[in-house]
Amino acid sequence: MATRSGVSDALDPANAARSTLKLENTEKRDTLIKIEKRYQKQWQESGVFNAAAPSTSEIAAGSIAPSDLRQKHPKYFGTFAYPYMNGTLHAGHSFTASKVEYTAGFARMQGKRVLFPLGFHCTGMPIKACADKLTEDVRRFGKNFEGYQEEQAEWEEPVLAPTQAETKEDITKFTSKKSKATAKGVKLKYQFQIMLALGIPREEIHKFADANYWLRYFPPLCKRDLNNFGARIDWRRSFVTTDANPYYDAFVRWQMNRLKELNKIQYGNRYTIYSPKDGQPCMDHDRTEGEGVAPQEYTALKLKVKEWSPDAAKSIQGKIPESANVYFVPATLRPETMYGQTCCFVGPKISYGIFQVSENEYYVMTKRAAWNMAFQGVFFKNDKLPREASELPPVVELTGSSVVGTLVDAPLSVHKEGVRILPMDTVSPTKGTGVVTSVPSDSPDDYATVTDLAKKAEYYGIKKEWAELEIVPVLETPSYGKLAAEFLVKKLKINSPKDTKQLAEAKELAYKEGYYKGTMVVGDFKGEAVEVAKPKVKAQLIQAGEAFEYAEPNGHVVSRSADECIVAFLGQWFLNYGENDPAWRDEVLDYVRNDMETYSSETKNGFEKNLEWLNRWACARTYGLGSKLPWEPKFLVESLSDSTIYMSYYTVAHLLHSDIFGTQPGLLNIKPEQMLDEVWDYIFCRREIGDELLKASGISKSDLETMRREFEYWYPLDMRISGKDLIPNHLTFFLYIHTALFPREFWPCGVRANGHLMLNGEKMAKSTGNFLTLNDAVSKYGADASRIALADAGDGVEDANFEETVANQIILRMYTLKEWCEETNADLSLRSGPPDRNLWDSLFENEMHTLVHEAYTHYAATDYKVALKSALYDFTSARDFYREALAAASIPMHRDLVTTYISLQALIISPIAPHWADYIWQEVLQKPTTIQNALWPAVPQPDAGLTAAYSYIRNTSSAITSAEGHQIRKKSKGKSTQYDPEQPKRLTIYTASSFPSWQQKYIDLVKDFHAKSSLEDKSLNAEVGRMGEGKKAMPFVQALKKRIQTGEQAEDVFERKLAFEETEVLGQMLRGLRKTVPRCKGLQVVEIIEVEDGKKKGRIVASEGEGVGAKGEGRELLGSAESAEPGGPTFFFENV
């Protein structure tokens, strides 16, 4: 049991983040946040993010095709999944939202009109279930729960981490850490405790007993958090789902009506995950555990008892009529193998029940399996389903060990005299019926078990002959012959049923080979492929009354009302996804494969696999919040079925209503009842205007045209961004319904899926104190530091990592950069006047141009981590290089270049860090309007020669300083050094005037391959290897390739010319080197010696320092002088 302090800890909201980074000095952060608040207020007041299509007064309705309109006035429309309103947003939400954010900011800079809207999802069970729990808490303990007496809560293992779609601050569940040793959580028993744990004041909690209060409470908090994040959202288009908003309700009713008319919604009996407590299907978003779990269908066999074991006979005596038919009911996935049954297994320690099916028929199975069957027409009729397991009591309860030895008749088995019930320790009570029929010809588990039973018959308390019935071949496979199980058990050296790893491998091999390549060798379907015979055998068994269909969840499922779910076979309304409408499925598959942008192969593969197996989906329920099914109002549209095309509703929401509940009219003053199905048809380009539509709706032609203009301009959706966990449901449904209801030109352009977000390298979890809400992150680090850390977290479908140390370091970086921009912009000592640019000016300007183009490419590819590298880290590094080089040369920076740097830095980082950028733009550079309206800077293409020189300088400087550092470290460890780095020293740099002669043949080789446009051809490397000098030649060839691929003219590369004058560049570096390599006593002398191929002496071409030689003076070559070549200098240190 938990201590009271454990419960108290669980009730403390601060504990959710107790393991996160603690900040101390926050002065710089507070300064940046103050700036952020100023610009957030400015953006909201100015409505800078409010987007509009070109009006019909600008461009008349019908005068231009929608595609031409979008080409004439480019646009970007991006969304992420609207969050569920049972809690506030967490950092994982902001990670997904940030992808839309960065792309929206970049699209604005491309001159596009940008729409980024957000609604609030309220459909489904979670809110209603929690509200009902609170109603009971209030009834039991009083309005403010004053009647509650603190009690101990039980420790229990926490639920496995849910998907990103669920891991928000969800007030339907909470866990708290017990200890590192046990990693267990405190389960708070009552809903009001969960609310307290999330920081909701006790006196306000009772209001949440009204489900509608949740809809009023959480949307403003969501809006607050995203505004504080600096999101570029057009809030005019927001709404809540369900019939709480009559306009959205009309939209959902239209959607369902049209899908039914298209025969995409049908009614019929089918298996579905079901909550007995709630009395309705339990779909993915209705679950606290088991998202993605689906019904697993079996064939349930009826093995009639011929003779009971003595113990069982005693247990049932007087309780079951002697004339009754009693059946053991194993569930199998392989009915085609039933010819080979030799026995039937039970778990000796498992508790079984005998359940009455009819007056004279009884089934033996676990209570769990019987409870599943109760909802599949076995024990109850579908119009009188039970709510509690007590309504299905077993007639007799007995253990598996007591029925061992019972003789049963196994349908189809060649052993017509019957087979025995035998013990099997590995039978699972939570899978199937707890009764397992044995086919040792094709099941490695069964073969290993019967072999073990026969060897140890006395130990198991059975007769040896019971386990030694003849094993007959059932099917034949190319790889494993006619007895696959025996073959694999011997091949994998399986010695007992305890060799579980090898048995699992053998089972998979046997099943795949048998199903896809097997041929029946017995029975009515002898000679047929197993894949063809399987359904025939199943049908034959069912028709003979020897089997029936059975299904159960293929995983553990718990509903939001804490009910363990089962599978029910019910009449229900469903969306006809999958194989039952192959034309629809194939249309979506074709679109994913050939037309839709998925940004990664993993996302495309995820869609393809899901579309190949996804089947019918129940689209209605009776409990929760939502819109009523138009043709049968007792049902509500479930949460994953009313959220498929709501992105289209964003296009007109602001025209219909001005508040999220639709209580206030929008810009067109249209009433909800005017939004007929035919009106939606017109808006979404499914029909044209007619007099009957104008008359029936009472909406003017101009208003109808205005709504249609908004849709046909903003659609198709350019990018849908979501967690990868939504591919199996929401994102696939999203594609299905778009293809069904909209013309092809309005189908989604792209879906970008991202991984989940970890925090500090670990899963976010309140139970471990490693959890941040969006509000926590922004309050702790500020908006821009949080946004930069999110961009740095990663971009692929793999899980990303929000590192708090990065966010904390970003605060200092951005504050320091802000101060530098302010101070340097006001520095009167900067050079000014005509652009008499020195080498450093030219290199800096060229590197800025390079990085602007790089950043553009990365933003366009939605690779934000590398975009951040170019736009911030590399950009400030280029500034540092320029500043340090000029400082070493005692030359002031040029004002024009400093101003250009500050301007470009603000512009190219603004998609990610807009607050900082706008401050620099408006307050440092004194621009008259917000940077949110600024365009991407137009800069010249980089000069290849300057780019090469820049790289040369950085690489050469780095090599020299690294070598110096290496000698210092060696001396500090007491090791011998080539010179004393603490004493005055000379640096000699050797540069070659010509390339080594051996290289010419490789130049000719690369030139030949380049002429054939095959530099990436593997045969080039193979040819280099055959020429016999691979060790030195391969790096040389790779360097040539790189120069060509980075933009240098091939002619210059092949003519053995550098793109810059090497000795001139080294001469410019001289003074800087003396200041940047001043370790200890520093450099007294730097000389640059030019070396000719094959010569023993070189000549001085430049020098700096005391007592240097004259230009042109000869020098003996030292160290690695002979290894120098153009573009690859070597150097030598010595004491002076």
Side-chain angles (χ1 to χ4, degrees), residues 342-632:
T342 64
C343 64
C344 181
F345 295 127
V346 294
K349 298 178 182 179
I350 294 175
S351 177
Y352 293 89
I354 302 179
F355 298 88
Q356 186 172 9
V357 182
S358 63
E359 184 177 347
N360 203 44
E361 190 165 321
Y362 297 79
Y363 290 167
V364 181
M365 63 186 69
T366 59
K367 292 180 181 179
R368 172 190 163 278
W371 186 234
N372 263 275
M373 288 186 188
F375 297 86
Q376 298 171 29
V378 176
F379 301 110
F380 295 86
K381 293 182 179 180
N382 282 348
D383 59 348
K384 293 183 180 180
L385 295 176
R387 286 296 183 97
E388 297 179 0
S390 60
E391 298 177 54
L392 183 64
V395 177
V396 179
E397 290 188 66
L398 28 71
T399 61
S401 59
S402 70
V403 300
V404 169
T406 297
L407 183 67
V408 295
D409 183 29
L412 296 185
S413 174
V414 298
H415 299 289
K416 301 302 181 183
E417 70 281 3
V419 301
R420 296 286 176 173
I421 302 295
L422 299 180
M424 186 183 200
D425 291 331
T426 56
V427 172
S428 170
T430 60
K431 187 175 183 180
T433 61
V435 180
V436 180
T437 192
S438 172
V439 184
S441 59
D442 293 277
S443 169
D445 288 282
D446 295 352
Y447 182 84
T449 300
V450 295
T451 302
D452 190 57
L453 288 171
K455 288 180 180 177
K456 306 174 183 176
E458 185 176 351
Y459 172 79
Y460 287 110
I462 66 170
K463 294 181 179 180
K464 186 177 182 181
E465 59 265 26
W466 291 352
E468 290 187 326
L469 295 187
E470 181 186 0
I471 299 174
V472 299
V474 176
L475 53 92
E476 184 174 14
T477 65
S479 301
Y480 312 132
K482 292 183 178 180
L483 295 172
E486 181 181 10
F487 180 93
L488 286 166
V489 165
K490 292 178 179 178
K491 179 182 179 182
L492 299 178
K493 300 180 180 178
I494 296 169
N495 298 313
S496 82
K498 295 180 180 180
D499 295 335
T500 53
K501 185 177 179 180
Q502 298 100 303
L503 281 169
E505 181 185 354
K507 179 180 179 180
E508 183 176 1
L509 291 171
Y511 185 83
K512 285 185 177 179
E513 176 90 2
Y515 183 73
Y516 292 109
K517 299 180 181 179
T519 303
M520 301 295 296
V521 297
V522 69
D524 293 346
F525 309 104
K526 181 178 179 180
E528 293 190 16
V530 169
E531 197 170 359
V532 175
K534 180 175 182 173
K536 294 180 180 180
V537 176
K538 178 179 178 179
Q540 187 181 67
L541 284 164
I542 292 173
Q543 189 173 4
E546 296 177 323
F548 57 93
E549 292 183 329
Y550 166 66
E552 64 184 29
N554 62 5
H556 189 234
V557 180
V558 178
S559 75
R560 294 281 180 174
S561 57
D563 186 33
E564 184 171 350
C565 295
I566 49 82
V567 166
F569 188 68
L570 301 174
Q572 57 188 283
W573 292 103
F574 57 83
L575 280 153
N576 198 32
Y577 301 136
E579 62 185 7
N580 296 291
D581 191 340
W584 192 16
R585 178 199 60 198
D586 293 346
E587 185 174 46
V588 179
L589 259 172
D590 178 72
Y591 189 68
V592 168
R593 287 170 174 161
N594 300 311
D595 295 296
M596 190 178 78
E597 174 62 68
T598 57
Y599 298 91
S600 73
S601 59
E602 294 91 339
T603 298
K604 176 175 284 190
N605 292 338
F607 274 119
E608 290 176 349
K609 290 179 182 177
N610 193 53
L611 284 161
E612 286 165 0
W613 72 260
L614 179 69
N615 215 320
R616 294 167 170 172
W617 185 268
C619 61
R621 62 159 60 80
T622 57
Y623 175 80
L625 303 179
S627 295
K628 293 180 175 62
L629 207 59
W631 57 89
E632 198 165 354

Side-chain angles (χ1 to χ4, degrees), residues 820 824 829-831 882-883 886 891-895 898:
W820 184 88
T824 309
S829 67
L830 297 179
R831 278 184 295 135
Y882 175 61
R883 180 176 58 179
L886 288 182
I891 303 173
M893 293 182 291
H894 198 287
R895 175 169 296 282
V898 167

Side-chain angles (χ1 to χ4, degrees), residues 742-775:
F742 297 125
R744 189 180 181 93
E745 71 169 299
F746 299 115
W747 295 359
C749 295
V751 174
R752 188 186 190 283
N754 53 257
H756 302 160
L757 184 69
M758 296 189 295
L759 180 61
N760 302 322
E762 298 179 358
K763 286 184 178 180
M764 280 203 296
K766 295 175 187 175
S767 59
T768 60
N770 192 51
F771 189 85
L772 283 180
T773 65
L774 174 55
N775 186 55

